[in-house]
Every structure is written in structure tokens, then in C-alpha cells.
Amino acid sequence: MKPIQIEKATLDIPFVDANGKTQLVIEFDRTDENIKRLYASFEDLEKTKNELSVTEDGNVIDDAKDFIKDIMDPIFGEGTFDKVYALCPSVVAAVVHFYKMSMALKEELEMDDFKNFEDKYLS
């Protein structure tokens, strides 16, 4: 009998500097619950982007920082936001990084789904 290859449980997301040197690797745990959190985060971002506005004390940066941290850490692990923010201490950059991470994962997960379908039914 041909052995069954166990799928890797995580996807690695490397962050590289301008010279291509890896500065940080974030792991995404491919559990069903975490994939659901990832897709729910798209909806959360969409709903909240218009709600984040300058508060009476002008603290939109802190509000946005808390918001993106509350989304990023449950998906990628506790402390992920702080690690990403340390690379470039900007909330805008952190949001852009989160968006890029999410879109890359979405694409990867969809390709895996297609490949699994192709292997099962088209091979």
C-alpha cells in the first residue's frame, strides 16, 4: 500500500528585508477554526474600517493598533502583532502587513483546495 503523506500543519510566512534576508517567520496554524478566524477577519476589517475615526482626544492610532492586534494575534499566535510592529513601528504598516499575510494565505489555501480536488478527481 502506498503511504499517505501527512500534510504540514502550518504555513510559514517569511518577512524579508530589502536584501532578501529573513527577519521574521510567522506560522499560520491550518486548523479549521483558525481558517474560519482568518476569513472572519476580512469581514471584521471591512466593518470596522469606517468606524475607526479620530476620537475626541485624537487617538485613532491607538484605536487602530488595538483593533489590528486583536485580529492578528488570535490568527497568528499571541505576540505576533508586537513582532510585526517591531519590524516597522507603524500601525499603517502593520495593517498592510496583515492584509498581505491574509491575502497570501487565502491564495495558498485556495490553491491547496484546488490541488486536492485535482489530485482526487482529475488525476
Side-chain angles (χ1 to χ4, degrees), residues 53-103:
S53 59
V54 178
T55 57
E56 290 178 19
D57 61 357
N59 222 359
V60 70
I61 290 175
D62 289 338
D63 291 345
K65 189 175 180 180
D66 291 341
F67 169 73
I68 199 65
K69 182 176 183 166
D70 289 345
I71 289 179
M72 192 181 287
D73 282 358
I75 295 171
F76 298 103
E78 193 65 35
T80 299
F81 172 82
D82 293 332
K83 292 174 187 174
V84 171
Y85 189 78
L87 294 175
C88 181
S90 160
V91 172
V92 173
V95 170
V96 169
H97 291 317
F98 174 75
Y99 180 78
K100 287 179 179 180
M101 293 163 62
S102 298
M103 291 299 105

Side-chain angles (χ1 to χ4, degrees), residues 9-122:
T10 60
L11 292 171
D12 294 337
I13 306 166
F15 283 75
V16 297
D17 64 15
N19 298 318
K21 183 177 178 190
T22 301
Q23 299 296 308
L24 174 67
V25 177
I26 302 294
E27 288 187 347
F28 174 75
D29 187 0
R30 294 176 54 155
T31 63
D32 292 341
E33 287 304 311
N34 210 29
I35 291 170
K36 288 178 188 177
R37 274 193 289 274
L38 174 68
Y39 283 103
S41 73
F42 300 146
E43 295 172 22
D44 291 341
L45 280 171
E46 188 62 33
K47 287 180 199 174
T48 307
K49 73 178 181 182
N50 295 324
E51 294 174 19
L52 287 175
S53 59
V54 178
T55 57
E56 290 178 19
D57 61 357
N59 222 359
V60 70
I61 290 175
D62 289 338
D63 291 345
K65 189 175 180 180
D66 291 341
F67 169 73
I68 199 65
K69 182 176 183 166
D70 289 345
I71 289 179
M72 192 181 287
D73 282 358
I75 295 171
F76 298 103
E78 193 65 35
T80 299
F81 172 82
D82 293 332
K83 292 174 187 174
V84 171
Y85 189 78
L87 294 175
C88 181
S90 160
V91 172
V92 173
V95 170
V96 169
H97 291 317
F98 174 75
Y99 180 78
K100 287 179 179 180
M101 293 163 62
S102 298
M103 291 299 105
L105 284 169
K106 182 176 186 269
E107 184 177 303
E108 183 77 21
L109 292 168
E110 288 171 354
M111 287 302 296
D112 281 354
D113 288 346
F114 179 74
K115 179 156 178 21
N116 290 335
F117 175 82
E118 187 178 51
D119 289 347
K120 185 173 182 178
Y121 297 108
L122 303 177

